[in-house]
């Protein structure tokens, strides 16, 4: 049982590594495409927020690489140091994307609201769900009877929330990228070459979320088959 699961995990991890590796190469490539307007990532972010009439969101620098995110709790656009200070197509793409989330928040975008509602649940259940399922199976879930079966089903429900969260994240991320690219283009913030680089970088960033969602679904289906007996002869 576990051997099959580890093979599945290995395959997903390999695809995830390939996408992540490509993403890093893309960002390195487009980090060399300097913006003709000379604006830094922070300046790009501040202008996009202002253009959307958002005055209560702060743009701040955060340590690390690819650690960029929007925090709806304290309304901050957190840009990694390289994005915050750099003046290239990759920085523009990331800064605008994170501001895309701020725009979603300001406009009460439904998918973002659903994802935010799931955060407290997933933060508690996602780390333990697999072990709850395994524990249930060890208690006799394979027979489809008894306490172990219900424990395993409870683990699957927990895993289901994490899977749902992963899929809800997809429209949130794609929409933020679409908002970012539309603004960059409509406001003539970037040249044609710079826009192409920003678009390509965001495309690969979105694929990391797609791989994560597929991986979550594959795990849910695998353990579901174990619990409900689909793998038995």
């Amino acid at each position: 049982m576990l051997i099959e699961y580890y093979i599945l995990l290995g395959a997903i991890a390999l695809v995830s590594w390939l996408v992540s590796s490509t993403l890093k190469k893309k960002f390195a490539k487009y980090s060399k495409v300097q913006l003709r307007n000379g604006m830094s990532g922070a300046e790009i972010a501040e202008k996009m927020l202002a253009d959307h009439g958002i005055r209560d969101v702060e743009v701040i620098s955060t340590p690390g690489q690819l650690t960029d995110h929007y925090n709806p709790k304290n309304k901050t656009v957190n840009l990694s140091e390289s994005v915050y200070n750099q003046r290239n197509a990759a920085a523009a793409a990331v800064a605008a994307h994170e501001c895309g989330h701020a725009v979603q928040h300001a406009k009460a975008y439904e998918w973002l609201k659903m994802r935010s509602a799931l955060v407290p649940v997933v933060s508690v259940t996602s780390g333990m769900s697999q072990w709850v399922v395994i524990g249930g199976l060890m208690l006799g879930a394979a027979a489809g009877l008894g306490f172990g079966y219900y424990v395993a089903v409870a683990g699957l429900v927990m895993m289901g929330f994490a899977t749902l969260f992963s899929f809800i994240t997809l429209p949130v991320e794609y929409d933020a990228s679409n908002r970012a690219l539309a603004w960059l283009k409509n406001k003539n913030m970037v040249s044609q070459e710079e826009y192409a680089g920003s678009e390509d970088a965001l495309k690969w960033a979105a694929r990391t979320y797609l791989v994560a969602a597929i991986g979550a679904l594959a795990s849910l289906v695998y353990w579901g088959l174990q619990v409900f007996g689909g793998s038995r002869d």
Side-chain angles (χ1 to χ4, degrees):
M1 177 180 69
L2 285 179
I3 292 178
E4 296 172 350
Y5 183 61
Y6 287 134
I7 292 175
L8 175 64
L9 280 184
I12 294 171
L14 176 60
V15 174
S16 179
W17 176 82
L18 289 172
V19 172
S20 179
S21 179
T22 302
L23 173 62
K24 289 178 180 178
K25 290 178 182 178
K26 293 288 185 179
F27 271 89
K29 175 182 177 181
Y30 299 125
S31 292
K32 298 176 182 178
V33 179
Q34 298 301 307
L35 293 181
R36 63 178 180 179
N37 61 22
M39 295 176 69
S40 66
E43 292 167 340
I44 290 283
E46 289 167 354
K47 179 164 176 51
M48 181 170 174
L49 292 173
D51 285 351
H52 285 84
I54 300 175
R55 310 292 180 184
D56 59 347
V57 172
E58 183 182 5
V59 179
I60 62 176
S61 177
T62 187
Q65 183 180 18
L66 298 179
T67 52
D68 313 87
H69 65 281
Y70 171 67
N71 188 332
K73 290 184 178 180
N74 60 11
K75 292 190 174 183
T76 56
V77 170
N78 300 264
L79 302 179
S80 58
E81 294 169 347
S82 59
V83 170
Y84 188 91
N85 295 307
Q86 295 301 311
R87 306 170 187 273
N88 53 58
V94 173
H97 172 87
E98 298 308 332
C99 287
H101 289 308
V103 175
Q104 290 173 336
H105 190 193
K107 294 182 178 296
Y109 181 58
E110 286 298 327
W111 289 103
L112 181 64
K113 288 168 63 178
M114 284 189 283
R115 186 175 74 167
S116 296
L118 281 172
V119 168
V121 177
V122 174
S123 63
V124 173
T125 62
S126 62
M128 67 176 75
S129 60
Q130 176 185 325
W131 301 109
V132 173
V133 173
I134 293 174
L137 290 172
M138 292 177 66
L139 289 171
L145 299 170
F147 177 71
Y149 174 77
Y150 296 106
V151 170
V153 170
L156 285 178
V157 172
M158 295 179 185
M159 199 174 289
F161 279 119
T163 303
L164 178 63
F165 181 83
S166 294
F167 276 91
I168 288 177
T169 294
L170 292 179
V172 173
E173 294 300 326
Y174 278 99
D175 179 77
S177 290
N178 290 337
R179 291 176 190 268
L181 292 170
W183 177 79
L184 288 171
K185 186 174 184 179
N186 293 337
K187 294 294 183 177
N188 294 314
M189 298 300 297
V190 291
S191 68
Q192 189 171 9
E193 178 190 7
E194 294 160 1
Y195 179 85
S198 296
E199 184 179 37
D200 194 33
L202 290 180
K203 177 180 68 178
W204 280 97
R207 286 175 180 172
T208 63
Y209 293 99
L210 179 59
V211 171
I214 293 173
L217 179 61
S219 293
L220 178 63
V221 171
Y222 175 83
W223 288 113
L225 289 173
Q226 304 306 314
V227 172
F228 298 118
S231 64
R232 297 199 303 268
D233 294 331

